[in-house]
Amino acid sequence: MSQIFKQSANAWSKASIFALVFTLLALGWAVMVLQRSDFVTSANQFIAQPVQFSHQHHVGGIGIDCRYCHTSVEVAASAGIPPTKTCINCHSQIWSDSPYLEPVRASFRNDTPLEWVRVHDLPDFVYFNHSIHVAKGVGCETCHGQVDKMPLMLQKASLQMEWCLECHRNPEQFVRPRSEVFTMGYQPASSQAEIGPALVKEYNIAGSSNLTNCSVCHR
Amino acid sequence: MRSSASIRRAALVLAAVAVLAGCRQDMHDTPRYEPFEASTFFADGRASRAYPIGTVARGQLRADDHLYTGRVNGEFAETFPFAVSHAEMARGQQRYNVYCAPCHGQIGDGNGMVVQRGLRQAATYHQDRLRGERIGYFYDVITNGFGAMQGYAEQVPVRDRWLIAAYIRALQLSQHAPLEAVRPGDRPRLDQTPEEQLAPPPTAATGH
């Protein structure tokens, strides 16, 4: 009776143990990557809006400050989305017969709100507040990216817990002077390693042991 | 034999159910409204409600005419309803640059960026009529608008409107100051080029 397994089977069996471990690792890695991918976090995806509102035109081109439209960002949890009246301040005259703006005019005429589609949406079990971040020198740009280069709004960050924590553990790597919070394309005056810790001290920013406490964000 | 196999299968199904249960989205989207969310409950479809007409929220009674309307006995006020500190003046400047400068320009000449893109010329503050205008009038224009300009009551809170009015006064002075208002030591600098003016004044170099 001949052998069932040839000599070479020894090598194969060793290789297959290897292959099994490797496959499991690769699978684990694939899941990790998928978890953080834009597909799951819905970052970097354009979302159709009732009006093609362009931050590139209004912020980059005309230089309107974020607060002109997002009026509550310094004082409340929500940044606020401008009411139609805010658009009418200018568009009662500018591009006042552009077809792109017909939904805006109809909304103003009929007193019906424009239905913007949310771009950023945290799960409801997470508590987020804009005002504290603005007050402590975290720039819009740090979380939302270069808004002045966006013809349509995009979510730039993953908004996952590890993203929040990366900053809550080391705020000194991200904070900027309060006067620069609304600036796009900000460059620190000297290296961040120098001014970061100084600002954390000046603004009295809580230590990482406080900021990573679960009840800060899950309350 | 058979029963233990089915127990095993049942256990497997249970485990799968337990794992998949984690995929429910209930907690991601709880039945509460977020700011500005659409609502099917209210006829106008808005979850963020306006006050019912004719009601006054606690602490929001607007009894102080001077502060809230810019008028005293029906006439535009000549004075501020509160004392404006230097720090508040700086806030007025900042608010002006956010809400007014897009049209009126940073120095108030009415040539802001939006005017350059085709909006009707916004008024310049540097005209005799507006220099002579009472402070309450500026408050009123910000609140209710004027001609082609819409009001800014929704965007700018009451106190900030007064601070912006104060800053407009400062702007008017900056473009229309008599020579006597400049300290004698600084007067030679008026003839300098902008580059020379930006260089630190000689007094700073000697430490006085």
Side-chain angles (χ1 to χ4, degrees):
Chain A
M1 188 175 163
S2 64
Q3 281 182 318
I4 298 176
F5 295 108
K6 296 207 188 91
Q7 190 75 36
S8 64
N10 279 343
W12 279 116
S13 73
K14 273 185 201 144
S16 66
I17 293 173
F18 235 46
L20 183 72
V21 172
F22 179 77
T23 316
L24 283 178
L25 282 177
L27 213 69
W29 178 79
V31 170
M32 301 260 286
V33 169
L34 185 72
Q35 265 302 313
R36 290 165 174 76
S37 70
D38 292 354
F39 175 71
V40 169
T41 64
S42 67
N44 292 314
Q45 287 164 18
F46 286 115
I47 291 171
Q49 298 283 4
V51 183
Q52 286 210 4
F53 177 80
S54 159
H55 280 79
Q56 187 175 26
H57 263 134
H58 292 87
V59 178
I62 313 171
I64 312 177
D65 193 286
C66 311
R67 289 165 285 184
Y68 186 94
C69 293
H70 303 296
T71 46
S72 59
V73 75
E74 291 169 299
V75 291
S78 162
I81 294 292
T84 307
K85 155 75 171 54
T86 303
C87 316
I88 293 297
N89 285 350
C90 295
H91 287 294
S92 57
Q93 293 176 58
I94 291 183
W95 290 64
S96 54
D97 35 39
S98 155
Y100 291 116
L101 283 160
E102 180 48 33
V104 177
R105 290 189 299 267
S107 154
F108 194 64
R109 264 197 317 271
N110 309 331
D111 191 28
T112 50
L114 277 168
E115 293 186 26
W116 301 106
V117 184
R118 279 201 82 107
V119 180
H120 301 74
D121 198 2
L122 286 173
D124 287 359
F125 53 75
V126 181
Y127 173 78
F128 178 78
N129 191 317
H130 274 96
S131 63
I132 180 80
H133 291 94
V134 172
K136 300 268 175 159
V138 186
C140 312
E141 188 183 12
T142 309
C143 297
H144 292 300
Q146 285 229 299
V147 168
D148 61 332
K149 303 255 161 68
M150 296 181 188
L152 269 178
M153 181 47 68
L154 278 178
Q155 175 187 326
K156 275 292 172 196
S158 72
L159 300 194
Q160 282 176 331
M161 183 159 132
E162 76 177 356
W163 174 74
C164 310
L165 289 177
E166 187 190 328
C167 178
H168 278 209
R169 290 199 180 107
N170 315 295
E172 70 279 359
Q173 292 176 10
F174 301 94
V175 288
R176 42 171 95 181
R178 283 197 188 109
S179 55
E180 302 290 339
V181 163
F182 302 91
T183 312
M184 292 286 136
Y186 160 78
Q187 296 290 339
S190 59
S191 83
Q192 183 70 22
E194 245 172 66
I195 64 170
L199 287 174
V200 165
K201 207 168 194 181
E202 187 185 337
Y203 297 161
N204 227 335
I205 292 176
S208 107
S209 55
N210 290 326
L211 278 183
T212 52
N213 199 320
C214 313
S215 61
V216 164
C217 309
H218 304 294
R219 34 176 107 179
Chain B
M1 257 342 255
R2 240 191 85 77
S3 69
S4 92
S6 61
I7 286 173
R8 226 176 293 151
R9 202 176 308 142
L12 213 72
V13 169
L14 263 177
V17 166
V19 170
L20 286 175
C23 295
R24 295 190 318 162
Q25 290 285 311
D26 295 10
M27 300 283 283
H28 288 243
D29 239 330
T30 54
R32 66 154 162 86
Y33 288 124
E34 290 178 21
F36 311 111
E37 195 169 324
S39 158
T40 48
F41 183 79
F42 296 103
D44 64 359
R46 294 178 225 210
S48 303
R49 311 301 305 156
Y51 293 129
I53 293 167
T55 57
V56 176
R58 194 176 281 267
Q60 310 242 314
L61 181 63
R62 304 194 149 199
D64 185 346
D65 274 355
H66 191 178
L67 180 63
Y68 290 106
T69 67
R71 287 168 193 266
V72 177
N73 299 329
E75 290 289 317
F76 287 123
E78 314 240 354
T79 55
F80 285 87
F82 53 87
V84 178
S85 70
H86 194 263
E88 284 183 311
M89 189 69 146
R91 182 175 168 88
Q93 174 179 31
Q94 187 213 50
R95 297 289 122 171
Y96 174 87
N97 285 338
V98 171
Y99 296 103
C100 317
C103 299
H104 288 277
Q106 299 231 338
I107 61 164
D109 60 359
N111 275 322
M113 205 53 191
V114 184
V115 172
Q116 291 170 34
R117 298 291 174 96
L119 190 90
R120 170 202 169 103
Q121 175 79 36
T124 170
Y125 304 135
H126 312 302
Q127 46 173 304
D128 283 339
R129 177 173 63 83
L130 288 181
R131 276 194 287 261
E133 207 31 286
R134 290 148 296 181
I135 198 72
Y137 177 74
F138 293 95
Y139 176 87
D140 182 72
V141 171
I142 304 175
T143 309
N144 301 316
F146 172 86
M149 175 185 146
Q150 308 277 330
Y152 279 77
E154 287 97 339
Q155 280 156 278
V156 186
V158 168
R159 218 180 152 83
D160 283 351
R161 283 178 232 162
W162 283 106
L163 299 183
I164 290 176
Y167 182 65
I168 291 181
R169 273 283 186 260
L171 277 179
Q172 289 179 329
L173 255 172
S174 77
Q175 304 295 310
H176 196 68
L179 189 62
E180 299 80 63
V182 184
R183 279 175 302 189
D186 285 333
R187 283 182 202 164
R189 298 181 64 212
L190 293 175
D191 296 325
Q192 293 172 338
T193 61
E195 289 77 26
E196 287 168 340
Q197 283 181 356
L198 280 178
T203 43
T206 59
H208 288 289

